Amino acid sequence: YPVHRELLAVPAYPAKTALAQLVHNQRLRQRFRFRRAYLQAIRRATRTISIMNAYFVPDRGIRAALKEAAQRGVLVRIILPGVSDLRVVRLATQRLYTSLLHAGVHVLEWPERMMHAKTAVIDGVWAMVGSYNLDNMSLRYNLEVGVAVVDRAFGACMNGEFESDAAQCRPVVLATWRRRPLWRKLLEWLAFRFRRWL
């Protein structure tokens, strides 16, 4: 499975070999390694993109890649917390729901308690597990670490966990979401204006 050249880039590998690499952004020049890895994997997805993220306020490039994937027939699902310990981040995230749903991305909310997962699995082959959120804080400020894995067995395990979690979630329905009150939309808009600090 093709991945970014900095993450597990190899010409070929035996079918029974799992490839894994520790990824971090400790140095300034490594700040965008996670983003590049996600972006390339999303753009090359052909079947499924399954993401769980505690603080989800991705930049325009990531949002566009997710929408484009959904529009070319990839099943894109994102599990997000229905309850957050950072209300302003949740509002900023919800500002994105309408455009994501309209593009065909499936948004699901984890019920009741805060969800801290930061995982992704794409096409059941490429996976990322770690501390990285798809937001500006992880991209530019926080020190993050993750493990990128290319392996069908591990991908199948990740898919199984995702399906189990998705079954517990509440899907966000576009028609219903659009009927939320105006004051709520204004709060989301205002929170999203501060996304550079979230």
Side-chain angles (χ1 to χ4, degrees), residues 61-113:
I62 295 289
R63 298 197 307 268
L66 290 169
K67 294 175 191 177
E68 288 164 6
Q71 290 168 349
R72 68 174 182 267
V74 177
L75 174 60
V76 182
R77 293 178 296 173
I78 305 172
I79 296 179
L80 302 168
V83 176
S84 179
D85 54 353
L86 295 175
R87 182 173 170 80
V88 66
V89 174
R90 183 163 188 260
L91 286 168
T93 298
Q94 291 178 324
R95 169 71 176 172
L96 304 174
Y97 282 11
T98 299
S99 63
L100 290 170
L101 292 166
H102 188 264
V105 175
H106 297 262
V107 177
L108 304 100
E109 288 191 337
W110 181 258
E112 298 179 4
R113 59 193 183 279

Side-chain angles (χ1 to χ4, degrees), residues 10-195:
V10 291
Y13 55 93
K16 294 184 178 179
T17 299
L19 301 175
Q21 182 174 351
L22 185 68
V23 187
H24 64 83
N25 61 357
Q26 185 175 1
R27 299 182 182 87
L28 185 61
R29 63 184 177 84
Q30 297 169 324
R31 281 280 133 188
F32 292 86
R33 292 185 75 195
F34 282 99
R35 182 186 184 274
R36 287 196 299 267
Y38 267 96
L39 196 56
Q40 181 146 332
I42 290 168
R43 285 174 174 168
R44 294 187 176 185
T46 59
R47 294 183 292 109
T48 59
I49 297 172
S50 304
I51 294 172
M52 294 184 72
N53 223 225
Y55 306 112
F56 182 82
V57 192
D59 62 65
R60 186 175 299 177
I62 295 289
R63 298 197 307 268
L66 290 169
K67 294 175 191 177
E68 288 164 6
Q71 290 168 349
R72 68 174 182 267
V74 177
L75 174 60
V76 182
R77 293 178 296 173
I78 305 172
I79 296 179
L80 302 168
V83 176
S84 179
D85 54 353
L86 295 175
R87 182 173 170 80
V88 66
V89 174
R90 183 163 188 260
L91 286 168
T93 298
Q94 291 178 324
R95 169 71 176 172
L96 304 174
Y97 282 11
T98 299
S99 63
L100 290 170
L101 292 166
H102 188 264
V105 175
H106 297 262
V107 177
L108 304 100
E109 288 191 337
W110 181 258
E112 298 179 4
R113 59 193 183 279
M114 178 60 189
M115 179 204 80
H116 281 286
K118 291 102 173 174
T119 66
V121 58
I122 295 179
D123 287 345
V125 178
W126 183 94
M128 179 75 77
V129 181
S131 65
Y132 187 80
N133 287 294
L134 290 166
D135 67 357
N136 199 54
M137 291 299 291
S138 283
L139 179 65
R140 297 182 182 276
Y141 304 111
N142 294 346
L143 296 178
E144 308 289 5
V145 65
V147 178
V149 180
V150 176
D151 180 59
R152 291 190 182 279
F154 185 76
C157 180
M158 292 284 290
N159 273 338
E161 291 294 326
F162 185 91
E163 294 297 339
S164 177
D165 291 336
Q168 301 178 57
C169 291
R170 178 185 66 86
V172 181
V173 179
L174 180 58
T176 304
W177 182 251
R178 281 177 166 162
R179 293 199 295 268
R180 68 199 187 283
L182 179 60
W183 64 264
R184 179 78 186 199
K185 295 177 182 179
L186 290 173
L187 283 178
E188 292 165 10
W189 177 87
L190 183 61
F192 191 70
R193 296 305 96 190
F194 291 93
R195 64 189 179 278

